[in-house]
Amino acid sequence: MNITIVGVGLIGGSVAITLKEKKAVSNIIGVDKSDANLKKALQLGFIDEGATLSDAISRSDVIFLTTPVDATLQLLPSILNQVTKQVVVDMGSTKERILQAIANHPKRGRLVAAHPMAGTEYSGPEAAISGLFKGKMMVYVDAMHSDEDAFDTVDAITEQLEMNTTFMNAHEHDVHTAYVSHISHITSFALALTVLEKEKAQGRIFELAGSGFESTVRLAKSSPDMWTPIFKQNRENVLEVLQEHIKQLQTVQQALTNEDYDTFYKLIKKSNKIRRILK
Amino acid sequence: MNITIVGVGLIGGSVAITLKEKKAVSNIIGVDKSDANLKKALQLGFIDEGATLSDAISRSDVIFLTTPVDATLQLLPSILNQVTKQVVVDMGSTKERILQAIANHPKRGRLVAAHPMAGTEYSGPEAAISGLFKGKMMVYVDAMHSDEDAFDTVDAITEQLEMNTTFMNAHEHDVHTAYVSHISHITSFALALTVLEKEKAQGRIFELAGSGFESTVRLAKSSPDMWTPIFKQNRENVLEVLQEHIKQLQTVQQALTNEDYDTFYKLIKKSNKIRRILK
């Protein structure tokens, strides 16, 4: 099997590394708008060659689209235009707008929309790692609109990545990712901004950075190039969650302002139920 | 050296385990209002015996106070009343109110106020682990009010725990912990409540819990018995940070509402500066 990775960053690179390790592919072509990224990916050895998009498509069985979601929105129609029997996998973090844009494309069936729920706060080819996907969830979105052979091809790759799988429609996917991924990033961004604001006035905060702080704020290292388009495409769902989140913070604020420690205690106790969801 | 651990939970237990490993102590007495906790600590082997507080004080060189901060506030004056040459170490997460309460105590010099910036979201004797403190920061608070020999004793223990050290006054400490620890907990509580609220209506959220979500929300597993008193004692500082944090969230919300993606991008970019503070 010959594959192309469009966007040789954290996700695309980690797919390439894992499939190479499993000896599941013969040739991996990298496509990236950044020559520096392509060069780096070649150096790191997870692609065998760089090529133009058209050339890469014509010589591949499977094309992984792992660019920021604004680039995906722009590239996907023309990729599908060039596809005959190839399979295209969109691995982006938002689905509704992208799938709407190609809903009536004659080659819609060659596309499998899949979102690997895995990542780190780092980006670029150097961020790619082996084992990123292991044990994580692959969400197949609107799978009924993919050709059966295309889906089976991707599902076999998902198995190579050692992922679990689940199915959702595009709307459901975007709502859920707003809750479990996108809002976490906004929280971290705002927390970082809060602390940086204070540090500017007072200094020394860095000395106290304990592990609790680090884990809640680490997502604030995430790339704005990747995340701004995600929030743009999932704006309505994110705004809904953000409103609810601010409301919950204000409830906590109110309890503390009123010195109502019974309510405060109960809020913490209730939030503890998250144990049920996390491991 | 014989020591007493008052409050045989995550912090006290981890101190005991580490000092035992280093063979830095001869006998460790545990004191806890919960007989079940004492029994557990004995089973786990990090205390050698349980005793009443008075008996334990009379037979110890160093007394570690690692209870929730409301218990510390209540216990500390009577502990100091019973102390002759012993050293008392308060390891709680808030300092200003506790140190005010014993500011004029004739035995004030025997107390060393120290806050190990280390912890996990778990509590109780079973949560105690070796190596919890290694490489973390020990914050000495108002160290100038401790007798020199008392401070030196504690600092030698801090070295055994393999911690770095820094000095602050009580007010400074409480402001900074509000920023780097307490607000992170509130954020996690509110994030957990947001998601749990949604899950109640829609279900299935658990399937998507990826690593980003897990790290921002894990502190929501924290014990309300430990954390309610912390917020009570650090109420004013926490309210100030919380107000700023909500303001930052509203700035992000505003940018997204207005579809002002330039501002949105810049906010993420600015929050990236947190890289400077974190490793």
Side-chain angles (χ1 to χ4, degrees), chain A residues 166 187 207 220-221 272 275, chain B residues 166 187 207 220-221 272 275:
Chain A
T166 189
T187 294
E207 285 187 7
K221 299 179 193 170
N272 284 171
R275 287 181 191 140
Chain B
T166 189
T187 294
E207 284 186 8
K221 299 180 195 169
N272 284 170
R275 288 181 189 138

Side-chain angles (χ1 to χ4, degrees), chain A residues 117-122 136-137 139 166-168 172-173 175-177 179-181 183-200 202-225 227-228 231-232 235 238-246 248-250 252-253 256-259 261 264-265 267-279, chain B residues 117-119 121-122 136-137 139 166-168 172-173 175-177 179-181 183-200 202-225 227-228 231-232 235 238-246 248-250 252-253 256-259 261 264-265 267-279:
Chain A
M117 298 298 298
T120 72
E121 64 273 36
Y122 304 107
K136 301 289 172 65
M137 188 68 77
V139 186
T166 189
F167 293 83
M168 291 192 179
E172 208 182 359
H173 168 272
V175 169
H176 279 77
T177 49
Y179 275 88
V180 302
S181 167
I183 188 68
S184 290
H185 284 79
I186 288 191
T187 294
S188 281
F189 299 146
L191 202 54
L193 292 169
T194 305
V195 168
L196 289 165
E197 201 57 43
K198 183 67 182 180
E199 198 205 18
K200 205 164 63 184
Q202 194 150 350
R204 297 197 63 184
I205 280 178
F206 62 97
E207 285 187 7
L208 293 189
S211 53
F213 177 69
E214 268 185 70
S215 76
T216 45
V217 89
R218 74 172 176 84
L219 298 176
K221 299 179 193 170
S222 301
S223 155
D225 294 310
W227 280 94
T228 305
F231 289 108
K232 190 171 175 179
R235 176 176 168 271
V238 169
L239 278 175
E240 194 188 315
V241 187
L242 185 50
Q243 190 176 12
E244 174 68 24
H245 181 53
I246 291 173
Q248 294 291 351
L249 279 171
Q250 285 168 336
V252 175
Q253 186 184 36
L256 201 53
T257 302
N258 299 342
E259 305 189 58
Y261 298 109
F264 198 89
Y265 185 97
L267 287 168
I268 301 182
K269 189 91 186 166
K270 193 173 162 193
S271 82
N272 284 171
K273 289 186 185 161
I274 204 73
R275 287 181 191 140
R276 198 163 34 82
I277 295 180
L278 305 177
K279 272 135 226 161
Chain B
M117 297 299 297
E121 63 273 36
Y122 305 107
K136 302 289 173 61
M137 189 67 78
V139 186
T166 189
F167 293 82
M168 292 193 176
E172 208 181 358
H173 168 273
V175 169
H176 279 77
T177 50
Y179 275 89
V180 302
S181 167
I183 189 67
S184 290
H185 284 78
I186 287 190
T187 294
S188 282
F189 299 146
L191 203 53
L193 292 170
T194 304
V195 168
L196 289 166
E197 201 57 44
K198 184 67 181 178
E199 198 208 17
K200 206 164 62 183
Q202 195 151 349
R204 295 197 63 184
I205 279 177
F206 61 98
E207 284 186 8
L208 293 188
S211 53
F213 177 70
E214 267 185 70
S215 76
T216 45
V217 88
R218 76 172 175 83
L219 298 177
K221 299 180 195 169
S222 301
S223 154
D225 293 311
W227 280 95
T228 306
F231 289 110
K232 188 173 176 180
R235 176 175 167 271
V238 169
L239 278 175
E240 194 188 315
V241 187
L242 184 51
Q243 191 176 10
E244 175 68 24
H245 181 54
I246 291 173
Q248 295 290 352
L249 280 170
Q250 285 167 337
V252 175
Q253 185 184 36
L256 200 53
T257 301
N258 298 344
E259 305 190 56
Y261 298 111
F264 198 89
Y265 185 97
L267 286 168
I268 300 182
K269 189 93 185 160
K270 193 172 163 195
S271 82
N272 284 170
K273 289 186 184 159
I274 204 73
R275 288 181 189 138
R276 195 162 38 81
I277 295 182
L278 302 178
K279 271 137 231 160

Side-chain angles (χ1 to χ4, degrees), chain A residues 2-13:
Chain A
N2 296 317
I3 67 170
T4 287
I5 305 283
V6 187
V8 293
L10 167 67
I11 298 297

